Amino acid sequence: MVFSIASKKLFSQFGISYFRISAAPTGSGQILAASGCYYNQIYRSQIRHKGLGIVTTGSIHSRSNPKMPVITVLPENFEETIDPIQRELLAEECILVDSNDNILGHESKKNCHLVQENGDILLHRAFSVFLFNTKGELLLQKRSKVKVTFPSMYTNTCCSHPLFRNDEMIENEGFGVKVAAQRRLYEELGIPKEDIPLEVFQYLTRIHYKASSNSIWGEHEIDYIFVIKRDVMIHPNPNEIDDVRYVSLDELKDLKNQKDVKLTPWFNLILESGKLQLWWKNLNNLKPFEDHETIHKM
């Protein structure tokens, strides 16, 4: 569907030679997307017009020149539908990387998770923690229903992002990402840093995956995999987590087969690949599974 709701005069100051406004229904209203040919670089600037609510949200390549950014257009009240705490977190700066995990820069969490018009999502650095108790059970969480991406889905113990700040960008053996994981385990599950010192985080490997949550939001990550084997006290943050449970491998398989249960795509990919089962069966000797050179594309 094409809308003639804006004039070329509105966009001419930004060097746009032509444009098209299109809309696709989504679960939370409508997302508007604009595409066109650009003669200048427009990035992270905001373009607002009375009644249109046009906001640039990221770089989308145009068909005529992949290096030129194109606007994604969202309804003016778009962010008002998001939980206020989760909305505040969208301002955090994530680490942009290339496919070899080299740091390229940074971008807001919001822009890193918006699905662009061509289906692209900015590639950024992330982590997944698998925390097992001394009985060999994995701690799962069910993501809160107010989460922006993949709400109400079961996933591994903790999944989030290192931020673009000095202590979380230290590259040595994933040290900075461990710092971020330790921070988020406290913020999501209330586990104090003293209970999970950095030396108990065993860095296994990295995966590269991409998945859409809906037509607006998605993930595109190079994900650092950490395993912890430790008994901890947990105090889940209800804004982040709706449920927690420890499961055996067989119980996880049963949970996965329940019709009303959905797993997050990264968790499901790791499970389907057989890697999780292999790690699980070798919790007391994971050293042979450490591979810090390979990024496994899933």
Side-chain angles (χ1 to χ4, degrees):
M1 183 181 299
V2 177
F3 291 77
S4 57
I5 58 174
S7 68
K8 290 184 180 179
K9 288 182 181 179
L10 171 64
F11 294 94
S12 62
Q13 61 183 307
F14 299 102
I16 303 173
S17 62
Y18 72 91
F19 63 91
R20 182 184 67 191
I21 306 293
S22 60
T26 71
S28 56
Q30 285 190 328
I31 178 170
L32 301 177
S35 62
C37 243
Y38 289 66
Y39 294 112
N40 66 345
Q41 296 291 323
I42 308 170
Y43 191 62
R44 298 188 65 199
S45 60
Q46 290 194 347
I47 308 169
R48 293 190 180 275
H49 183 264
K50 185 177 181 181
L52 296 181
I54 298 171
V55 183
T56 62
T57 57
S59 61
I60 307 173
H61 77 264
S62 91
R63 292 182 183 87
S64 58
N65 189 341
K67 294 183 179 180
M68 292 295 183
V70 179
I71 295 174
T72 295
V73 186
L74 302 172
E76 184 121 349
N77 64 349
F78 167 67
E79 292 191 19
E80 294 176 10
T81 64
I82 301 171
D83 173 84
I85 295 174
Q86 294 296 318
R87 184 168 64 239
E88 186 176 338
L89 293 174
L90 289 175
E92 293 180 335
E93 293 289 313
C94 293
I95 302 169
L96 296 179
V97 294
D98 64 17
S99 59
N100 294 314
D101 197 29
N102 298 308
I103 294 177
L104 299 177
H106 58 96
E107 188 52 90
S108 70
K109 187 178 291 185
K110 172 186 171 183
N111 286 352
C112 282
H113 292 85
L114 281 167
V115 179
Q116 300 174 351
E117 186 186 65
N118 63 354
D120 283 351
I121 305 169
L122 295 176
L123 180 60
H124 53 280
R125 191 173 282 177
F127 63 81
S128 285
V129 176
F130 294 78
L131 188 151
F132 296 85
N133 61 21
T134 53
K135 293 193 291 183
E137 297 169 323
L138 174 62
L139 178 61
L140 300 184
Q141 64 156 281
K142 183 180 182 183
R143 291 164 65 85
S144 164
K145 60 182 174 294
V146 301
K147 294 287 284 185
V148 173
T149 58
F150 307 103
S152 301
M153 291 190 185
Y154 277 94
T155 194
N156 50 287
T157 312
C158 182
C159 333
S160 192
H161 314 85
L163 301 181
F164 191 80
R165 63 192 206 191
N166 291 337
D167 61 335
E168 297 189 5
M169 292 193 296
I170 299 171
E171 300 281 10
N172 184 30
E173 296 297 305
F175 184 87
V177 189
K178 289 181 183 179
V179 171
Q182 186 186 58
R183 170 179 58 83
R184 285 301 291 173
L185 281 164
Y186 175 71
E187 293 171 353
E188 293 187 17
L189 287 155
I191 305 173
K193 292 181 180 180
E194 313 84 68
D195 291 355
I196 44 168
L198 294 179
E199 55 265 27
V200 306
F201 289 75
Q202 187 165 6
Y203 169 31
L204 293 187
T205 191
R206 291 167 291 177
I207 68 167
H208 178 179
Y209 78 95
K210 178 181 174 185
S212 295
S213 180
N214 53 37
S215 61
I216 299 178
W217 301 106
E219 289 283 10
H220 188 196
E221 299 180 330
I222 289 185
D223 197 12
Y224 284 63
I225 306 299
F226 299 118
V227 171
I228 299 172
K229 187 176 180 182
R230 203 170 180 87
D231 291 326
V232 295
M233 295 292 292
I234 57 175
H235 305 280
N237 176 351
N239 188 262
E240 294 283 341
I241 296 171
D242 279 347
D243 183 31
V244 291
R245 62 178 71 182
Y246 280 99
V247 295
S248 66
L249 181 54
D250 287 339
E251 288 169 336
L252 175 57
K253 291 175 182 176
D254 290 341
L255 181 69
K256 184 180 185 300
N257 290 330
Q258 293 180 23
K259 290 183 179 180
D260 59 340
V261 168
K262 291 185 179 179
L263 304 184
T264 58
W266 60 89
F267 185 40
N268 193 54
L269 284 168
I270 294 170
L271 182 61
E272 291 293 320
S273 74
K275 292 183 184 298
L276 177 57
Q277 295 89 323
L278 196 58
W279 303 333
W280 207 322
K281 293 174 182 177
N282 291 276
L283 282 178
N284 294 322
N285 184 26
L286 286 170
K287 192 72 178 174
F289 302 98
E290 291 182 2
D291 178 3
H292 300 174
E293 301 299 321
T294 308
I295 299 173
H296 304 273
K297 193 151 189 179
M298 295 187 170

